[in-house]
Amino acid sequence: MKPYFISTAIDYTNALPHIGHTYEKILADVLARYHRLRGREVFFLTGVDQHGQKVQQAAEKQNISPLAFTNTISEAFVTLWKKLGISYDAWASTTNPVHKSVVQQVLSNLLKNGWLYKASYKGYYSVRQEQFLTDKERGEDGEFGAEWGEVVFLEEENWYFRLSDCRAWLVSFLEKHPNFITPSFRHRELKNAATKVNTDLCISRPKSRLSWGIEFPFDSEFVVYVWFDALINYISFAGYLSTNKENSFSTLWPCNAHVIGKDILIPAHGIYWPCMLHAMGFSDEEMPHLLVHGFWTLHGEKISKTTGNVFDVTEAINRFGVSALRYYLMRDAVMGRDADFCEERLISRYHSELSNGLGNLLNRTLGMICRYRPEGLLSIILSEECSTLLRDHMTLVEDYCKQMEASNIQAAIESMIEIITRTNIFIDATAPWQIAKHADQASRLSSILISLLQSTRIAATLLMPIAPDAAHEIFQQLALDPISLENHVSIPSFPEKYNAKTAIPVFPRFVEEKIIDPTESR
């Protein structure tokens, strides 16, 4: 099986990271960690988009060079992803000489094959979006909306990519490949947009007004349009056109999941990118897969510095911890749909599902083993009630895997929660503390305790992609390895003799923004 290649949008370095960046990187990290858990080789690519007019303007305001400015912002992204445990395998930065070389080679090849031409154009230009606008971007009042920012009239010569020549191919491709994009409801939206492609794409900016970019290899008066530059990162950092004999591009490509926000589906990733690949000579079967997520709002309103409705990711980490934040963002958002960040809901889910759920299961299990089997727990053949519990758990593990394979992380988490819930119900139904009073039921008690350990072990394994730090703590306390999800799932083996460690709360409760240890229920 080819490596699982997952990428994120590379983040534009004109401003510091926000919740949208955070959610996207955690989402991709969860999928990358899941596939590693299944024994699959993974190539996880993320990074930063460092060129363009907005970066140049931001640098000018601070009276520093664009490179110095973008390096400072880039470091903020690197620091945050490290804090959040984002386990990427390769880092894309568009100032990297390797990337610059690939972009220039791509341009030269496209020119050679007749896909580029130079022409004059005049029209209205959005400084914020760094693109020319047409009448279709005007509102009902005939004006360009606030979303375009400053709009100026320009007349200049530029290089163009024959995007309109790709329309027929793109429409046909989308008709034949409905699985090009997830979620499926985005497919019709993209098809409609593809039918309206009737102009070519301006892919250059004159150095007279923008010097911060990759220079055209055959025309030194121009730099590459930031979007054309940025999209190529998905192949440049995967080894495309590399002369290295150990180049792995042929084994990595196509990308299994370009994880992007819905705002950059059309036109960038859904129109420009497949057409660029088509012009480069990639076949239909070599097109990547787009995994499109929704937006996060705060208190039901768009997150915006202008309105003051802002979300500080670092502050959230300091208040709630990495595990709680990662878990909530994956638990509360349905793939492809918008979600609203709510502190009360974060705390509620954390308490009910992690602290009172998995954490309480761990505490109860280890506590009872230390109390009832201080000399050690010997492996025995499980009773039918315990075997049934674990068989049912493995069915839920299979459901979890199916949902993860489909990138439905929220649904996968529900399968994990069901395992925890069923196990806690099993404890109350069997009442081990009562069985412990009867010497003739020693075998049944051991069977129950082993099944509780195995249940906790299974649930913690499923938590690993979502909250790896917390899962690691659980396994440290269990003194057991995660179950194997490679090839097929099965009830894990148990040691001949097991000695329990003392339970230490993994998910302490939040009380008035302070953290306290949970009270053991038994």
Side-chain angles (χ1 to χ4, degrees):
M1 184 181 294
K2 72 175 284 295
Y4 181 79
F5 183 177
I6 185 168
S7 69
T8 71
I10 52 176
D11 301 315
Y12 202 27
T13 55
N14 67 320
L16 294 170
H18 54 64
I19 188 174
H21 300 125
T22 301
Y23 169 70
E24 180 174 284
K25 303 310 175 288
I26 294 174
L27 191 163
D29 183 63
V30 168
L31 293 175
R33 287 177 181 272
Y34 163 75
H35 284 281
R36 293 190 192 109
L37 194 60
R38 296 303 304 269
R40 188 171 181 181
E41 184 181 350
V42 170
F43 182 72
F44 176 12
L45 175 66
T46 190
V48 284
D49 181 5
Q50 297 168 300
H51 291 130
Q53 193 163 358
K54 285 182 278 190
V55 170
Q56 180 174 293
Q57 290 173 337
E60 288 171 350
K61 288 181 180 180
Q62 295 190 19
N63 198 29
I64 60 176
S65 71
L67 181 60
F69 176 85
T70 194
N71 282 345
T72 299
I73 299 296
S74 298
E75 187 57 35
F77 281 96
V78 171
T79 300
L80 182 57
W81 300 158
K82 183 177 180 180
K83 188 176 293 187
L84 285 166
I86 308 303
S87 60
Y88 55 86
D89 300 292
W91 181 256
S93 57
T94 53
T95 54
N96 188 306
V98 171
H99 176 71
K100 175 182 176 180
S101 174
V102 173
V103 170
Q104 291 180 327
Q105 287 181 72
V106 166
L107 287 169
S108 295
N109 291 340
L110 290 176
L111 178 68
K112 177 182 177 181
N113 294 321
W115 284 98
L116 305 183
Y117 65 91
K118 195 175 185 181
S120 294
Y121 183 83
K122 59 182 179 180
Y124 290 95
Y125 181 81
S126 166
V127 176
R128 174 187 294 174
Q129 300 299 334
E130 302 185 36
Q131 70 180 69
F132 281 98
L133 306 178
T134 63
D135 286 340
K136 68 179 182 181
E137 275 84 38
R138 295 182 185 273
E140 294 181 359
D141 59 357
E143 301 295 325
F144 295 109
E147 69 273 16
W148 299 109
E150 180 186 6
V151 176
V152 296
F153 188 84
L154 292 178
E155 182 174 1
E156 63 185 20
E157 195 172 37
N158 271 302
W159 283 93
Y160 289 83
F161 168 62
R162 297 184 188 278
L163 183 69
S164 59
D165 287 358
C166 297
R167 178 176 59 183
W169 167 80
L170 182 59
V171 171
S172 174
F173 169 76
L174 293 174
E175 287 285 350
K176 297 174 183 176
H177 298 83
N179 296 325
F180 173 63
I181 183 170
T182 298
S184 57
F185 66 81
R186 294 287 179 199
H187 190 259
R188 178 176 295 180
E189 174 187 358
L190 183 55
K191 280 171 56 180
N192 290 339
T195 62
K196 299 173 183 176
V197 174
N198 55 16
T199 58
D200 292 335
L201 175 64
C202 178
I203 62 167
S204 69
R205 296 294 182 265
K207 282 187 178 178
S208 58
R209 65 179 175 88
L210 175 62
S211 60
W212 182 237
I214 296 175
E215 184 179 285
F216 267 65
F218 43 80
D219 195 335
S220 61
E221 296 301 313
F222 295 86
V223 296
V224 182
Y225 171 45
V226 65
W227 264 116
F228 195 91
D229 162 6
L231 288 166
I232 293 174
N233 96 88
Y234 299 126
I235 55 177
S236 65
F237 291 97
Y240 181 64
L241 298 180
S242 172
T243 56
N244 189 332
K245 292 181 179 179
E246 297 180 358
N247 172 35
S248 59
F249 183 76
S250 61
T251 60
L252 286 176
W253 195 261
C255 184
N256 298 82
H258 281 325
V259 182
I260 60 170
K262 65 179 185 180
D263 57 325
I264 55 174
L265 170 62
I266 300 172
H269 287 80
I271 305 293
Y272 299 164
W273 185 224
C275 290
M276 288 165 62
L277 290 170
H278 173 69
M280 287 180 223
F282 286 79
S283 68
D284 289 10
E285 289 66 36
E286 293 175 309
M287 291 296 143
H289 176 78
L290 305 183
L291 183 59
V292 185
H293 63 78
F295 286 163
W296 278 86
T297 56
L298 184 61
H299 308 306
E301 297 179 358
K302 182 180 179 180
I303 296 174
S304 169
K305 291 182 181 179
T306 304
T307 62
N309 195 40
V310 296
F311 180 91
D312 189 322
V313 179
T314 301
E315 181 186 357
I317 293 173
N318 293 337
R319 289 185 61 195
F320 304 115
V322 169
S323 293
L325 182 62
R326 283 180 62 114
Y327 181 83
Y328 172 70
L329 291 179
M330 294 300 99
R331 179 70 178 97
D332 226 36
V334 176
M335 183 61 215
R337 302 292 183 180
D338 292 347
D340 185 63
F341 189 93
C342 175
E343 291 184 4
E344 291 78 9
R345 205 156 52 243
L346 182 155
I347 294 171
S348 175
R349 288 201 182 281
Y350 175 86
H351 283 166
S352 62
E353 297 172 1
L354 295 181
S355 186
N356 296 341
L358 181 54
N360 192 38
L361 173 59
L362 175 68
N363 295 339
R364 298 172 83 181
T365 299
L366 293 181
M368 286 189 288
I369 293 173
C370 288
R371 188 176 304 123
Y372 305 132
R373 293 291 183 269
E375 73 287 353
L377 182 62
L378 298 177
S379 179
I380 62 171
I381 297 175
L382 297 184
S383 64
E384 182 56 33
E385 63 181 342
C386 294
S387 295
T388 299
L389 176 72
L390 295 182
R391 283 196 299 269
D392 289 345
H393 286 350
M394 299 319 290
T395 298
L396 287 166
V397 172
E398 291 175 356
D399 291 340
Y400 169 96
C401 292
K402 288 177 182 177
Q403 295 296 345
M404 279 292 200
E405 295 289 341
S407 304
N408 294 325
I409 298 173
Q410 187 209 40
I413 292 175
E414 289 176 356
S415 295
M416 181 195 74
I417 294 170
E418 182 65 18
I419 290 172
I420 298 166
T421 301
R422 289 185 181 186
T423 307
N424 277 317
I425 290 174
F426 179 79
I427 294 175
D428 293 334
T430 55
W433 50 91
Q434 295 294 340
I435 297 174
K437 297 176 181 178
H438 306 281
D440 61 342
Q441 295 194 48
S443 178
R444 184 187 178 208
L445 177 60
S446 292
S447 179
I448 290 172
L449 295 177
I450 290 172
S451 69
L452 298 185
L453 277 169
Q454 295 284 55
S455 297
T456 309
R457 182 185 190 184
I458 292 167
T461 299
L462 304 191
L463 183 68
M464 286 174 67
I466 300 143
D469 290 348
H472 177 73
E473 287 186 47
I474 292 172
F475 285 113
Q476 288 287 97
Q477 294 188 36
L478 287 175
L480 293 170
D481 293 328
I483 69 169
S484 174
L485 297 184
E486 295 185 29
N487 301 320
H488 64 280
V489 296
S490 58
I491 297 174
S493 60
F494 191 76
E496 288 298 317
K497 185 175 181 180
Y498 176 85
N499 291 99
K501 293 187 176 182
T502 302
I504 301 172
V506 177
F507 304 107
R509 294 177 62 85
F510 302 121
V511 176
E512 296 180 355
E513 299 191 5
K514 295 181 180 180
I515 298 177
I516 64 170
D517 291 346
T519 301
E520 292 187 24
S521 60
R522 305 235 179 236

